[in-house]
Amino acid sequence: MVQLLVFLPLITALIAGLGGRIIGKVPAKLLTTAGLFTSAALSWVVFVQIGLGGGAAYSIHLLDWMESGDLVIDWALKIDTLTAVMLVVVTTVSALVHLYSWGYMDEDPDQSRFFAYLSLFTFAMLMLVTANNLVQMFFGWEGVGLASYLLIGFWYHKPSANAAAIKAFVVNRVGDFGFSLGIFGTFLVFKTVNLDAILTAAPGMTGATFVFLGHQVDVMTTLCLLLFVGACGKSAQLGLHTWLPDAMEGPTPVSALIHAATMVTAGVFMVCRLSPMFETSATALTVVTYVGAATALFAATVGTVQTDIKRVIAYSTCSQLGYMFFAAGVGAYGASMFHLFTHAFFKALLFLGAGSVIHAMHHEQDMRFYGGLRKHIPLTFAAMTIGTLALTGFFFTAGYYSKDAILEAAFARGTEAGYVAFTVGAFAAFLTSFYSWRLAFLTFFGKPRWSGSEHIQHAAHGDHGHDDHAHDAHGHGHDDGTAGYHPHESPWTMLLPLGVLSVGALLAGWAFHNQFVGVEHGVDFWRGSVAFNVELMERMEQVPAWVVWTPAAVMTLGFLLAFQMYMRDRTGPARFVATFPGLYNFLVHKWYFDELYNLVFVRPAFAIGRFLWKRGDQGVIDRFGPDGVAAAVVSGSGVAKRFQSGFVYSYALVMLVGVAAAVTWFLPRVIGGQ
C-alpha cells in the first residue's frame, strides 16, 4: 500500500508527460488526478493506522542504493507518525489542486505537461518525507526544487515567469549548499546517514567540540546550523526568502500546492525530523527561534502594503512559516507540526479562493480593481471568509488551535528567546489580522472598481482569450463601475476543492489538537517521531490568562483597524502614506532586500562575468587559441598565395632560390666536417 501511494504519482507523471500527446489531454488529466486521489485515500489509511490507531513505526526496504567504504545507503521508506502527517498533507492538497486545475487551466494548451509536473512534484515531496536517510531526503529535496522550477516557469514564454523560476532555483541552491555540508558533516561525525542511527546517537554527542582556526567549536551546533541553512532556503526564511513572492508568477494552483502547503514546509519537516539533533544544541535552537520570529515579523509587515492578491497570501505564508520555526526553536515540535497541518488546509483554501477571484475577474490580480464581488461570486466569498477566519485565529477554527498553541509554547518556554518570539508573534498576529481583512474588504466589499483594469476592459469588449492566463502589467485607475463586465462564479471543479478545504480549515484544529499538542495523547500520538517535550506542554496549560487571551485581542484589533481604514474611512490609507512616506516605501520595497542583493551579489556577479567573457574568454583564450591559430593560418595562406602566379618562370625562380638556400645552409657544414 505504501509503495503504491508513493510511486503512483511518478507513474502517472511519466505517462502524462511522455505520452500526453498520444493519449490526449483529458485522459492525461484524468489519469494524474485519479492517481493522486488514490494516493490521498491510502495516505489517510496510513495516518489512521499509524497516528490515530497507535500502530508501530516501520521501514520498507526497496533496494540497496550505494555502498562505498563506510558509506552505505539503502533506498527505503520510513513510516511513522511524522511521515503519516506529511503524507496526508501532501497528497490531500495535491489531489484537490489537481481537481481544481481542471477548471482553472481548462483553456491552456499544455495541460498534459502541467498535470505531469504537478504529479512529479508530488512524487518528489513524497520521497522527501518518507526518506529513511539523509541522502534519500536530499534526493527528494532536490526533486521538489526541480519541479518547482518547472512549475513556476510553466508559462515559459513570459520573461517574468522565467526570471522567477531562475530566482527560486538559484536562491534555493544557496540553502541546499548548506544542507549538503550538513549531510557531509553528519556522516563524518556519525559514520552513517541513516536517520534512526543518527538520532539514536545524537544525545551522546552533546558537548563534543572540534578545533577550527584555533577555536573550540561545538560539533552539534555546527551540524544543526548547516542543516538549518537548507531549511531557510526551502522554507523561505529571512535572508533566503526573496524567491517566494516572485514565485507567484506561476499558475495559481502551483502557488497553492508548492508555496502554501507542501514544498515550503519541507524545511519545517526536516527540523522536526532531526529534532533529537537540535535538542543537543541550545545555541542552534536559539538561532532557529530568532530567525523564525524575524521572518514572521518581516513578512507580516510587508503583507500590509501589497496590492497583488496572490502576493498578500504569499507573504502570509512566509510569516506563518516563521511561526512554525520559532515553535520548533522553543522545543514545541508538536505545535510546529500542528500549525503545518492546519495551515495546509486554510492557506491552500486562500490561494485557490484567490484563483477563483482571479478567474472571475478575467485574470486581474490587483485588489485595487476589485470591490463588491461578494454578490457575484458568493461561494468563493464564503470559502475565502472561512480561510481568513482560520488564518487570523478566529475562535474554534483550525488556526485558533494551532497558532495559539505556538504562542503559548513560546511564552511557557521561559527563555529570553521564547519571550521575544511570543511578543513578535503576537504583533505579527495583529498584522496578519489586519492584512487578511484588508484583502477581504478590498475584494468583496465596497463599490466595484473594475473599469480601471485593462483585463476587465478587454473582457468587456469581448476579448475573452485565456491563451496563457498571463497576468501582464495593467493600469492603476480607480474608477467605479463595471465597464460592462459581470464577474462569474467558478466551475464546480474549482468550487468542490474549496468546499473540502473549508471543512479542513474549520475542523482540523478541533479534531486533532489533543493528538498533536495534548499532554495526555501527544506522547502516544508521536511515539518518538519528534522530540515531544511533555514538560513544556504541561507548562503551556499553566500560562497566565492574559497570555491565552492575547491572540484573540490582537486578532480583534487587527480586524477593527482594517474595518476602520477600508470600510468606514477609505481615505485612511492615503493619509497614512502621506504621513509616513518613508515607512511606506520601506515596506513597499520589502525592506530593500532585493535591492541590497542586487547591489551586493547580482551586479558584481554580472560584472565579473562580463570581465571574464570580454577579457578572459575573448581577449585571451579566443585571441591566442582558436581565433589566433585561425588568424595565423589565414596570414600564412595569404603569403603562400602570392607565389601561386601560374607562370613557369616564377616557379623556376622559387626552386632556384630554394636550391641556393639549401646549398648555403649545407655547404659550410660539409666543408667544416671534412
Side-chain angles (χ1 to χ4, degrees), residues 521-533:
H521 302 284
V523 175
D524 293 334
F525 177 74
W526 291 111
R527 290 193 304 282
S529 58
V530 299
F532 189 78
N533 191 331

Side-chain angles (χ1 to χ4, degrees), residues 17-360:
L18 300 179
R21 294 185 178 181
I22 299 175
I23 64 176
K25 64 180 182 181
V26 174
K29 294 192 297 184
L30 183 62
L31 179 67
T32 53
T33 305
L36 258 299
F37 272 95
T38 302
S39 292
L42 296 176
S43 296
W44 279 98
V45 172
V46 172
F47 179 71
V48 171
Q49 291 178 345
I50 300 296
L52 303 181
Y58 58 91
S59 293
I60 302 174
H61 183 272
L62 299 179
L63 54 88
D64 298 328
W65 191 11
M66 286 183 269
E67 183 174 351
S68 177
D70 293 334
L71 179 63
V72 179
I73 305 173
D74 297 329
W75 198 289
L77 306 178
K78 179 179 175 63
I79 307 299
D80 58 9
T81 302
L82 182 61
T83 302
V85 170
M86 292 302 297
L87 288 177
V88 165
V89 169
V90 172
T91 57
T92 302
V93 173
S94 182
L96 293 174
V97 167
H98 273 71
L99 179 59
Y100 179 93
S101 299
W102 277 64
Y104 192 86
M105 303 295 290
D106 183 57
E107 297 169 359
D108 195 282
D110 298 316
Q111 293 179 60
S112 298
R113 178 167 61 91
F114 179 77
F115 280 84
Y117 287 170
L118 287 182
S119 293
L120 177 64
F121 166 82
T122 306
F123 165 73
M125 194 69 196
L126 292 176
M127 292 309 307
L128 191 158
V129 301
T130 59
N132 84 323
N133 62 76
L134 290 174
V135 176
Q136 186 180 335
M137 183 183 291
F138 192 72
F139 169 82
W141 195 272
E142 294 303 298
V144 294
L146 169 64
S148 67
Y149 170 80
L150 296 173
L151 286 167
I152 296 169
F154 176 74
W155 291 318
Y156 54 84
H157 52 276
K158 290 176 56 182
S160 58
N162 288 329
I166 293 173
K167 186 176 184 179
F169 198 81
V170 171
V171 173
N172 272 277
R173 295 291 73 72
V174 177
D176 294 351
F177 179 66
F179 189 27
S180 61
L181 290 179
I183 295 174
F184 299 154
T186 301
F187 174 73
L188 184 65
V189 171
F190 294 98
K191 306 302 180 185
T192 182
V193 292
N194 183 273
L195 287 172
D196 291 334
I198 293 170
L199 300 181
T200 301
M205 292 300 298
T206 304
T209 61
F210 67 98
V211 178
F212 182 72
L213 298 178
H215 298 279
Q216 292 290 331
V217 181
D218 188 83
V219 171
M220 296 307 296
T221 298
T222 303
L223 295 181
C224 291
L225 291 181
L226 287 173
L227 294 168
F228 180 59
V229 170
C232 287
K234 197 66 70 181
S235 295
Q237 293 301 282
L238 191 64
L240 296 177
H241 67 279
T242 53
W243 66 270
L244 182 60
D246 290 357
M248 298 302 105
E249 288 292 336
T252 298
V254 173
S255 303
L257 176 62
I258 297 182
H259 309 110
T262 51
M263 189 187 91
V264 291
T265 61
V268 180
F269 163 79
M270 185 260 284
V271 171
C272 291
R273 170 64 80 193
L274 303 179
S275 54
M277 288 183 65
F278 281 84
E279 284 293 300
T280 64
S281 173
T283 302
L285 288 177
T286 301
V287 171
V288 173
T289 303
Y290 280 121
V291 171
T295 304
L297 177 63
F298 157 77
T301 58
V302 176
T304 60
V305 298
Q306 297 298 305
T307 57
D308 185 308
I309 187 172
K310 288 175 63 176
R311 286 181 180 263
V312 174
I313 305 174
Y315 278 108
S316 173
T317 298
C318 191
S319 182
Q320 299 306 306
L321 290 167
Y323 276 93
M324 299 175 203
F325 273 108
F326 78 67
V330 300
Y333 302 101
S336 178
M337 288 302 303
F338 188 27
H339 197 51
L340 184 156
F341 182 78
T342 61
H343 175 266
F345 290 103
F346 60 74
K347 189 52 63 67
L349 173 61
L350 285 171
F351 261 117
L352 295 184
S356 184
V357 172
I358 294 168
H359 185 269

Side-chain angles (χ1 to χ4, degrees), residues 657-668:
V657 171
V659 171
V663 171
T664 303
W665 174 262
F666 287 108
L667 188 59

Side-chain angles (χ1 to χ4, degrees), residues 606-623:
F606 275 101
I608 294 172
R610 282 192 298 269
F611 174 81
L612 295 176
W613 169 36
K614 294 291 186 181
R615 301 296 180 85
D617 191 12
Q618 294 183 344
V620 177
I621 297 175
D622 287 349
R623 180 181 178 186

Side-chain angles (χ1 to χ4, degrees), residues 468-596:
D468 60 359
H469 291 240
H471 311 306
D472 300 325
H474 40 66
H476 299 284
H478 295 268
D479 297 333
D480 292 337
T482 63
Y485 181 73
H486 301 283
H488 51 88
E489 190 62 273
S490 299
W492 73 268
T493 54
M494 297 172 64
L495 294 177
L496 181 59
L498 295 182
V500 175
L501 291 170
S502 296
V503 175
L506 287 173
L507 302 179
W510 169 80
F512 297 109
H513 73 280
N514 285 331
Q515 284 75 22
F516 279 84
V517 296
V519 175
E520 297 181 1
H521 302 284
V523 175
D524 293 334
F525 177 74
W526 291 111
R527 290 193 304 282
S529 58
V530 299
F532 189 78
N533 191 331
V534 178
E535 181 183 355
L536 178 60
M537 297 299 107
E538 291 176 343
R539 291 205 301 269
M540 284 173 55
E541 297 182 351
Q542 301 170 3
V543 297
W546 67 267
V547 173
V548 176
W549 286 101
T550 293
V554 296
M555 172 198 67
T556 304
L557 290 175
F559 168 79
L560 293 176
L561 180 59
F563 185 81
Q564 172 66 25
M565 298 185 71
Y566 293 96
M567 291 295 290
R568 294 187 61 185
D569 182 11
R570 297 180 182 274
T571 63
R575 291 203 311 273
F576 177 86
V577 173
T579 305
F580 303 102
L583 175 61
Y584 176 75
N585 288 327
F586 181 69
L587 297 181
V588 166
H589 288 89
K590 301 160 288 188
W591 291 23
Y592 291 100
F593 269 100
D594 283 309
E595 289 80 357
L596 177 63

Side-chain angles (χ1 to χ4, degrees), residues 450-469:
W450 312 337
S451 61
S453 167
E454 291 184 4
H455 296 277
I456 303 302
Q457 291 177 359
H458 292 162
H461 289 86
D463 178 12
H464 294 280
H466 295 225
D467 54 336
D468 60 359
H469 291 240

